[in-house]
Amino acid sequence: MAASAKTFEGMKTVDESDVGISCFISQLPGFRGILKQRYADFIVNEVDMEGNVVRLTSLDVSPEMDVKEEDKQKSSDDVPQGYASAIESFRALCSVSDAERMESLVNQVTSGTEDEISPVVLDPSSDKSKRTAIHNFVKEKFKFLVTDTVDGPDPSSKCIRVRVNSGNSGGKRSKKRKERGDKPFDSRGSEHWPADVGKFLKFHLYKENKDTQEALGLIGKMLGVQPKSFGFSGTKDKRSVSTQRVTVFKQQASKLAALNKRLFGIKVGDFCLVKEGLLLGQLMGNRFTITLRGVVADSEETIKKSVESLGENGFINYFGLQRFGSGSVPTHHVGAALLKGEWKEAVDMILDPRETERNVVNEAREYYKETGDIDGTLRQLPRYLVAERAILQCLKKCPGNYLQALKGIPRTLRMMYVHSYQSYLWNNAASLRVQKYGTNQVVLGDLVSTKVDDGKKIVGSLTSEHKENSEEALDCDQLDDTAVVDLPGERSDLVKVVDTEDIEAGTYSTSDIVLPLPGSRVIYPSNDIAEIFHDLAKKDGISLTESIHGVKEFSITSMTGGYRRVFQKPIDFEWELLTYTDSNKPLAETDLDRITMEKPMDKVVSAEETESKKSDSNQPESCETDLKDAEQTQLALKMALTLPSSCYATMAIRELLKTSTSVAYHKTLN
């Protein structure tokens, strides 16, 4: 794998073989099946740290859920009554809509209402001097209001938020540090929250065909809070129906519940107050309900044997294609460039045109490559291209400083590139392990997870990097929250190399075999599998033991590394074959279906029931009728399984079908 951008120009999408995915556990034949024909065919429910499957069960809020906030002690003396002239002067500083928002806010305050008054957010502006003038004006003319700055719709703009002053003449920020203890100032929520109740509202977020950040961004905008107010344990697939836990700082449950009427494809519910917010990695795994449509096999027996093999033997625990991005430039190629200190090459890979993207995006990329016009490119680039926009913003301020531009990408997103290179090496090593030694034995020199503290291994080995940066948004749905598990130094007892004594005693099984994700604190197998890590990296001009540059975050020697199981079995595995005639008909119930008492299964019958009805029927049917029924009736395989948070359900599907899991391939089946 060369890391030059030129190498990739002819590549349309990443193929499994490009990232080391090449082996299977079973030698059984595969069969045809369409993955994610509808997003509702892929249902994901988070599994919390106690092993409970997270479901949306109620949209209601009990009366006792709303926190009675402390009196704000508003006095009419604090609010000047003659504000009309001030509003008129304010019009000269801002837009008509902003003036109307300010007037409405002032009217609410002066009316003496007891209801909580929501802040208003003014129109975005990239003019800092104008924003400063507005801040100063409000401070001078409306002493009962305070302002702050929040992020605008794109990195170049900011919005001013205006809200009611808490009543302290010096404002919240003047509160002495000794009065608030060691806790830092926090403006994410209400200022009048009682001390005896949990400061975080936990709720279940249900979303359809949306990624986690998109959904929370919309909710945050409606609540008037910044993204850092939310906590969650991991991102979920965009093309799916998913339910997960979310926490938000000092917000009333009734306010969130009221959003359900305005949200499309998103619902919130199951509210409760907790003392701590969620952090990345705080989950045991995910429960998947996956429906493969258009199933075609030699016989139902072929399907049965393959599914039973998956349940009994599991699958190779590869990092799935999502790990390496969906574009024509894989994320691990960018990671290789970063590890080599090739900053400009990395920037070019991220910004250059790509064959697989839709026209509007590719046109923006082509425009920048031809003109170098940053402002013009930013106007064309969609907001969801976070990395590209961040790089361009930095290059605008510091032309030619490519390292600084890369550091402008949110940390969790920019680290994805290096982590994906680790994943690339791991996948190739896993394939070599299977090719050389098979899947049914532990061999001398294998690396295995020890039997000590087995239940806490994954949790105990999570990197502190996740915890320290939990407030940063995950801006890419390819980012897997715990796929790279870094190990603290004190947990060196997690793994060991298999010796002769272990082999003779039969101490370990194939389910204990692990391989390292390269880093400074990992050990490698003592057999020839270790060589592939170093050989592949060397071909890419990378050393796993020495860094050629001084930028720690882009250096494998500064990363602790981690371990990952080679083989994974599905947990609580269930499956059934269904027949259907309407491709638009849902074949599995979602959480929302259960709440609304819909019955999506009313026209779905099992394959066994279909065969029974055919054999029991005494009505003569013509050959023409049989052919018509055969064309209309299709077979589907519905499965439910739980996997640890670092595992990819698509790799379990690959073991069944023996075909690629790429989106491009499954689109051809449609």
Side-chain angles (χ1 to χ4, degrees):
M1 184 208 78
S4 169
K6 292 179 181 179
T7 310
F8 314 136
E9 286 177 359
M11 186 187 295
K12 292 187 176 180
T13 56
V14 184
D15 189 58
E16 289 178 344
S17 60
D18 300 321
V19 292
I21 302 172
S22 59
C23 298
F24 299 96
I25 287 183
S26 84
Q27 301 305 311
L28 295 168
F31 53 89
R32 180 188 188 273
I34 307 172
L35 178 64
K36 295 187 181 183
Q37 186 178 52
R38 304 174 78 250
Y39 61 78
D41 291 340
F42 202 86
I43 300 174
V44 187
N45 290 83
E46 190 169 270
V47 179
D48 66 21
M49 296 297 287
E50 286 73 46
N52 303 308
V53 178
V54 177
R55 299 194 184 280
L56 184 72
T57 62
S58 173
L59 304 177
D60 300 326
V61 180
S62 58
E64 61 270 18
M65 262 303 304
D66 269 349
V67 177
K68 187 175 182 181
E69 298 185 39
E70 297 165 357
D71 291 338
K72 299 177 177 63
Q73 297 179 341
K74 281 190 278 186
S75 168
S76 58
D77 295 336
D78 296 332
V79 183
Q81 299 303 311
Y83 61 86
S85 60
I87 290 292
E88 286 304 313
S89 301
F90 186 70
R91 293 183 192 278
L93 287 175
C94 61
S95 66
V96 174
S97 59
D98 280 347
E100 290 174 351
R101 291 188 189 102
M102 181 65 81
E103 186 172 15
S104 174
L105 179 63
V106 172
N107 285 338
Q108 286 185 71
V109 176
T110 56
S111 68
T113 177
E114 292 299 319
D115 296 334
E116 183 175 352
I117 300 174
S118 299
V120 298
V121 179
L122 305 183
D123 291 337
S125 171
S126 56
D127 187 342
K128 188 175 181 180
S129 60
K130 178 183 175 181
R131 297 198 306 268
T132 302
I134 293 175
H135 283 302
N136 291 335
F137 185 89
V138 173
K139 184 177 181 181
E140 180 184 351
K141 301 294 184 181
F142 301 107
K143 297 186 184 298
F144 53 97
L145 300 176
V146 291
T147 60
D148 61 0
T149 304
V150 297
D151 291 334
D154 58 70
S156 65
S157 67
K158 300 285 185 181
C159 298
I160 292 178
R161 179 172 57 179
V162 188
R163 62 188 190 281
V164 178
N165 197 331
S166 62
N168 296 328
S169 58
K172 290 182 298 179
R173 289 188 181 273
S174 67
K175 188 175 182 180
K176 295 180 180 178
R177 181 171 294 275
K178 66 180 181 181
E179 292 179 22
R180 61 177 189 254
D182 295 329
K183 296 181 179 179
F185 169 74
D186 198 326
S187 61
R188 292 175 292 173
S190 168
E191 305 159 24
H192 308 280
W193 205 262
D196 60 340
V197 298
K199 292 184 178 181
F200 293 87
L201 177 67
K202 187 177 79 172
F203 62 95
H204 292 176
L205 170 68
Y206 169 95
K207 58 183 182 64
E208 299 177 351
N209 205 29
K210 291 178 175 60
D211 62 45
T212 303
Q213 275 305 127
E214 180 185 358
L216 292 181
L218 187 58
I219 292 171
K221 188 175 182 181
M222 289 181 171
L223 289 176
V225 300
Q226 296 192 48
K228 69 176 183 179
S229 298
F230 296 101
F232 53 93
S233 56
T235 56
K236 308 301 175 195
D237 298 68
K238 176 177 180 177
R239 188 162 177 78
S240 69
V241 174
S242 68
T243 306
Q244 66 185 108
R245 299 160 299 148
V246 177
T247 54
V248 63
F249 191 70
K250 291 184 179 179
Q251 289 293 327
Q252 298 283 8
S254 57
K255 288 184 68 176
L256 263 81
L259 300 181
N260 282 323
K261 295 179 181 178
R262 300 163 55 193
L263 292 166
F264 179 75
I266 302 171
K267 289 289 179 281
V268 292
D270 297 281
F271 304 99
C272 68
L273 291 167
V274 294
K275 293 182 179 179
E276 301 292 337
L278 282 168
L279 299 175
L280 285 175
Q282 290 183 333
L283 75 166
M284 187 172 287
N286 294 289
R287 180 74 176 168
F288 297 91
T289 304
I290 301 170
T291 305
L292 298 175
R293 292 179 182 257
V295 171
V296 178
D298 295 339
S299 66
E300 285 191 18
E301 188 64 22
T302 297
I303 301 170
K304 182 180 178 182
K305 285 182 178 179
S306 293
V307 176
E308 288 178 346
S309 173
L310 175 64
E312 292 170 11
N313 305 310
F315 57 96
I316 302 170
N317 196 22
Y318 288 122
F319 289 94
L321 287 177
Q322 308 98 295
R323 185 70 171 172
F324 304 96
S326 56
S328 56
V329 180
T331 52
H332 68 291
H333 287 251
V334 181
L338 294 176
L339 291 170
K340 290 189 288 185
E342 297 176 348
W343 315 129
K344 185 178 186 303
E345 286 77 2
V347 166
D348 288 343
M349 287 185 205
I350 296 170
L351 293 180
D352 276 355
R354 305 177 183 186
E355 293 180 16
T356 55
E357 288 183 314
R358 53 196 180 96
N359 289 340
V360 63
V361 176
N362 223 30
E363 286 171 5
R365 293 184 185 276
E366 290 280 6
Y367 177 80
Y368 176 71
K369 191 165 187 176
E370 292 172 4
T371 67
D373 176 9
I374 291 177
D375 287 330
T377 306
L378 285 171
R379 283 193 291 270
Q380 299 177 53
L381 274 180
R383 286 178 58 192
Y384 67 81
L385 293 176
V386 176
E388 288 84 345
R389 296 185 65 87
I391 285 173
L392 290 172
Q393 288 290 350
C394 289
L395 288 177
K396 181 180 177 181
K397 294 177 183 177
C398 306
N401 193 336
Y402 298 104
L403 173 58
Q404 195 61 38
L406 289 163
K407 287 187 173 183
I409 302 171
R411 179 175 170 79
T412 46
L413 180 54
R414 67 178 184 259
M415 291 310 298
M416 177 193 67
Y417 298 120
V418 177
H419 287 166
S420 66
Y421 187 76
Q422 289 176 304
S423 306
Y424 161 77
L425 296 179
W426 191 98
N427 277 359
N428 279 279
S431 290
L432 183 64
R433 168 61 181 76
V434 172
Q435 290 163 8
K436 284 211 166 192
Y437 302 115
T439 62
N440 57 5
Q441 63 175 338
V442 178
V443 300
L444 197 66
D446 267 340
L447 208 57
V448 292
S449 61
T450 59
K451 301 295 184 182
V452 180
D453 200 18
D454 191 60
K456 297 182 179 178
K457 282 177 189 173
I458 294 179
V459 179
S461 63
L462 281 175
T463 171
S464 59
E465 184 176 85
H466 287 147
K467 296 179 181 178
E468 290 166 4
N469 296 280
S470 60
E471 289 185 350
E472 286 198 37
L474 296 183
D475 299 284
C476 181
D477 64 344
Q478 289 97 28
L479 186 60
D480 180 15
D481 48 281
T482 56
V484 175
V485 286
D486 287 357
L487 298 178
E490 68 272 13
R491 293 311 306 273
S492 58
D493 62 332
L494 284 175
V495 298
K496 68 161 290 185
V497 175
V498 172
D499 54 29
T500 306
E501 186 178 330
D502 294 322
I503 296 291
E504 292 174 351
T507 309
Y508 298 100
S509 68
T510 54
S511 62
D512 298 314
I513 300 172
V514 299
L515 283 170
L517 290 141
S520 61
R521 292 180 183 170
V522 299
I523 60 173
Y524 291 86
S526 64
N527 52 33
D528 49 2
I529 304 303
E531 296 172 9
I532 191 171
F533 287 97
H534 299 281
D535 290 347
L536 279 176
K538 189 176 181 180
K539 285 180 182 178
D540 295 326
I542 296 168
S543 169
L544 299 182
T545 56
E546 296 178 4
S547 178
I548 62 172
H549 57 73
V551 184
K552 286 189 175 182
E553 66 178 290
F554 297 142
S555 169
I556 267 193
T557 57
S558 296
M559 301 173 71
T560 55
Y563 301 98
R564 181 179 177 86
R565 293 187 189 279
V566 176
F567 307 110
Q568 179 65 50
K569 292 181 182 180
I571 304 163
D572 297 330
F573 186 42
E574 303 169 358
W575 65 278
E576 62 177 322
L577 285 170
L578 304 171
T579 58
Y580 65 99
T581 55
D582 185 354
S583 295
N584 295 316
K585 187 73 177 177
L587 301 181
E589 278 188 332
T590 66
D591 290 350
L592 192 59
D593 289 333
R594 296 185 185 99
I595 289 177
T596 55
M597 302 302 291
E598 293 178 1
K599 299 187 181 297
M601 304 288 287
D602 57 355
K603 290 186 181 178
V604 178
V605 295
S606 69
E608 290 82 357
E609 289 173 324
T610 303
E611 291 300 319
S612 176
K613 287 179 181 178
K614 284 182 180 179
S615 62
D616 291 344
S617 174
N618 294 321
Q619 296 296 324
E621 295 182 3
S622 66
C623 293
E624 183 178 346
T625 304
D626 286 340
L627 182 60
K628 184 178 179 182
D629 287 342
E631 289 175 347
Q632 290 179 341
T633 302
Q634 297 190 71
L635 192 63
L637 173 61
K638 178 180 158 187
M639 296 172 290
L641 63 154
T642 299
L643 295 174
S645 57
S646 61
C647 298
Y648 289 77
T650 51
M651 293 297 97
I653 301 303
R654 174 182 175 275
E655 178 69 29
L656 276 181
L657 303 181
K658 302 294 192 295
T659 58
S660 173
T661 56
S662 71
V663 174
Y665 173 75
H666 282 270
K667 279 183 177 178
T668 65
L669 299 183
N670 281 323

